[in-house]
Amino acid sequence: MSNLIAIVGRPNVGKSTLFNRLVGERKSIIDNVSGVTRDRIYGYTEWNGRSVNVADTGGFVINSSDVFEAAIRSQVQIAIDEADIIIFLTDVTTGITDLDESVARMLRKTDKPTILAVNKVDNGTRQLAANEFWSLGFNDTFFLSSITGSGSGELLDAIIDMLPPDKETNEESELPKFCILGRPNVGKSSLINALLGEERNIVTDVAGTTRDAIHSHYNKFGHEFILIDTAGIRKKKKVHEDLEFYSIIRAVKAIDEADVCLLMIDATLGLESQDMNILSLIAKRKKGVVLLVNKWDLIAKETNTARDYALGLKSKLAPFNDIPILFISALEKQRIFKAVEKLMEVYKKKSQRIKTSELNEVLEEMLTKYPPPAHRGKLIKIKYLTQLPTHFPAFAFFCNYPKHITGAYKSYLENQMRSRYDFSGVPLTLYFRKK
């Protein structure tokens, strides 16, 4: 189940610093000049076995005539509308300001769970000063320091406690879910209409016709699953409308919900940087993936056109090049049911469980073929291999010096596992632990 946490507040209280702390990477730009974060940035974090999306927003300024601040107000409102939980961030060093009061009044009107976080509380004097913020009237109030991480664990504990419980499984939720992603106007809705045999989704030549993620139930030819059509994800510089931001976060939520993602590109345009960004989102969330090259009927063909095109794609996709590639035409209904079969294949591979005894026989063969290189004269010995109980294939290698396994040797082990069990299109994670 996908959940969204939005961080809101006036400019320069440390929202981007807190965002970077929560997602564990320096993704938001940080500067002492207010208004550095102009739009919303999305990240992903896990805590206590639950995963959440985090949105960083621009500083909220009431009744400003500045064109950027007006746009920020709109984006913050959208983040609040879409969020499951809101973090209202303030700054202890400036105390409660008129802008804080204005944001607080707006948040009281929403029925969303709201946490008041007082930032920059990193010494005893500021700890005392922070008590002033209880006057804003929020029951869930936390004192923290985003830059040092103090108090962030307690904040995450509170967020996890507030999250709605995962939905109970029912017949439909147990069905495989396949999400169709891609840039605008590559033919995602046309493919769903062709598969379903009806005009389920609106199709026009105007990019961005689909705004929301649309669920369709497929039950034909012995296959049953849920298809999720999403809005096209544009390059950031082309995103002008507020509705586009709705589309982006809902596409991100669709990835979270899906078991396997179908990334569609336009054969006439090829693979672009935005497609790689979408692929990166899929890989981070450990989802299966199939690459569809649509509008193949528009390409002039020779003997090896498909082979050469696929080789070109794989060179651009590296290191994500172990991905099934299919050439289709949604308009002409060419090979669209082959795409369904491939999705089911990847889903089954993603769900497969391998016996520990079998894995250790394979491990012995891999070590005999190419043993791990020594580190500073110390022999590295991998003793044991087992599969972990995760929703994606993950394997734990137990050894005497896990920190000294080289990147090249990790790649060797992954490639051996992929070739042995055909994990094409499936995320594979290897963990190295102390025996």
Side-chain angles (χ1 to χ4, degrees):
M1 181 179 177
S2 178
N3 298 284
L4 174 66
I5 312 303
I7 305 172
V8 302
R10 61 181 173 82
N12 214 27
V13 294
K15 294 185 298 299
S16 295
T17 307
L18 177 60
F19 173 87
N20 291 340
R21 171 68 58 183
L22 295 181
V23 302
E25 58 181 304
R26 191 180 175 89
K27 195 170 181 181
S28 278
I29 301 170
I30 301 170
D31 199 285
N32 288 327
V33 178
S34 66
V36 167
T37 305
R38 301 284 192 194
D39 53 17
R40 297 200 311 284
I41 299 173
Y42 300 102
Y44 173 79
T45 190
E46 291 186 358
W47 188 260
N48 288 347
R50 298 291 298 272
S51 58
V52 292
N53 291 302
V54 185
D56 181 20
T57 65
F60 194 94
V61 181
I62 304 293
N63 299 325
S64 170
S65 59
D66 181 85
V67 64
F68 282 119
E69 290 177 351
I72 288 170
R73 284 200 305 276
S74 175
Q75 297 307 313
V76 170
Q77 185 60 60
I78 290 172
I80 291 171
D81 292 342
E82 288 290 294
D84 297 289
I85 297 172
I86 300 162
I87 299 175
F88 172 26
L89 196 64
T90 56
D91 183 352
V92 69
T93 62
T94 58
I96 299 173
T97 67
D98 292 341
L99 285 176
D100 290 325
E101 294 276 10
S102 299
V103 177
R105 281 194 296 272
M106 186 186 74
L107 292 176
R108 289 191 198 103
K109 296 177 183 178
T110 179
D111 58 354
K112 301 289 179 69
T114 301
I115 295 173
L116 173 62
V118 186
N119 195 22
K120 306 179 185 179
V121 182
D122 48 14
N123 59 46
T125 303
R126 291 182 177 180
Q127 184 81 24
L128 290 172
N131 287 302
E132 170 194 8
F133 286 84
W134 287 102
S135 65
L136 289 174
F138 292 93
N139 291 330
D140 297 294
T141 299
F142 292 85
F143 304 156
L144 55 90
S145 173
S146 299
I147 199 164
T148 65
S150 172
S152 59
E154 290 83 353
L155 177 66
L156 281 166
D157 285 339
I159 289 171
I160 298 304
D161 289 341
M162 288 182 176
L163 289 177
D166 288 332
K167 294 179 180 178
E168 294 182 4
T169 58
N170 53 49
E171 186 176 345
E172 182 168 294
S173 65
E174 291 175 355
L175 292 175
K177 292 184 176 65
F178 301 141
C179 172
I180 302 181
L181 298 156
R183 287 174 284 128
N185 214 28
V186 295
K188 299 184 295 298
S189 296
S190 296
L191 174 62
I192 287 187
N193 290 342
L195 288 173
L196 298 177
E198 58 180 291
E199 294 298 314
R200 173 71 173 80
N201 297 347
I202 299 171
V203 178
T204 72
D205 290 331
V206 179
T209 300
T210 303
R211 297 290 191 182
D212 293 323
I214 300 172
H215 292 60
S216 303
H217 187 181
Y218 181 94
N219 188 6
K220 294 182 179 181
F221 308 110
H223 298 304
E224 185 176 10
F225 50 83
I226 303 298
L227 270 174
I228 308 172
D229 185 16
T230 62
I233 303 178
R234 305 183 188 215
K235 293 181 180 178
K236 185 175 288 187
K237 68 180 181 180
K238 294 184 179 180
V239 176
H240 302 296
E241 308 172 58
D242 291 344
L243 281 171
E244 288 291 340
F245 286 107
Y246 276 114
S247 300
I248 293 169
I249 189 56
R250 286 174 183 174
V252 170
K253 285 184 175 182
I255 295 174
D256 287 339
E257 187 179 356
D259 298 298
V260 181
C261 297
L262 199 161
L263 177 58
M264 182 179 284
I265 66 172
D266 187 329
T268 62
L269 300 176
L271 195 71
E272 295 189 358
S273 59
Q274 188 62 4
D275 299 311
M276 294 302 298
N277 291 335
I278 298 171
L279 187 64
S280 179
L281 284 174
I282 296 169
K284 283 182 179 179
R285 284 157 172 79
K286 307 296 183 182
K287 305 296 182 179
V289 62
V290 174
L291 180 62
L292 280 194
V293 183
N294 192 27
K295 307 182 184 180
W296 191 241
D297 54 309
L298 302 181
I299 299 296
K301 301 172 187 65
E302 296 179 0
T303 305
N304 296 318
T305 302
R307 185 200 65 183
D308 295 341
Y309 198 106
L311 289 174
L313 288 177
K314 288 189 175 184
S315 66
K316 292 181 180 179
L317 288 168
F320 308 110
N321 52 10
D322 189 16
I323 296 174
I325 299 173
L326 293 177
F327 299 92
I328 71 160
S329 170
L331 187 64
E332 302 292 335
K333 299 184 180 180
Q334 293 177 357
R335 288 180 290 278
I336 60 173
F337 296 107
K338 180 69 174 176
V340 170
E341 292 173 3
K342 186 59 68 175
L343 282 169
M344 293 303 298
E345 282 180 23
V346 173
Y347 174 75
K348 289 175 182 176
K349 291 173 189 174
K350 184 171 178 285
S351 307
Q352 69 176 313
R353 304 291 303 173
I354 306 169
K355 292 181 180 178
T356 300
S357 58
E358 182 182 343
L359 284 173
N360 283 281
E361 289 177 5
V362 172
L363 174 63
E364 187 175 351
E365 292 177 15
M366 292 191 293
L367 296 178
T368 302
K369 184 177 179 181
Y370 178 26
H375 177 76
R376 295 182 179 178
K378 296 179 180 179
L379 291 177
I380 296 176
K381 296 181 180 180
I382 301 176
K383 303 285 189 180
Y384 187 71
L385 170 61
T386 187
Q387 185 172 2
L388 300 176
T390 55
H391 65 276
F392 58 90
F395 299 90
F397 292 78
F398 292 89
C399 54
N400 54 351
Y401 298 109
K403 293 182 179 179
H404 301 320
I405 303 287
T406 64
Y409 196 73
K410 290 178 182 178
S411 297
Y412 161 75
L413 292 175
E414 179 177 342
N415 291 336
Q416 288 293 307
M417 293 289 290
R418 285 189 174 278
S419 61
R420 177 63 67 100
Y421 294 105
D422 188 15
F423 281 116
S424 178
V426 177
L428 199 61
T429 304
L430 308 185
Y431 297 96
F432 294 85
R433 296 177 176 172
K434 182 76 174 177
K435 173 66 176 175

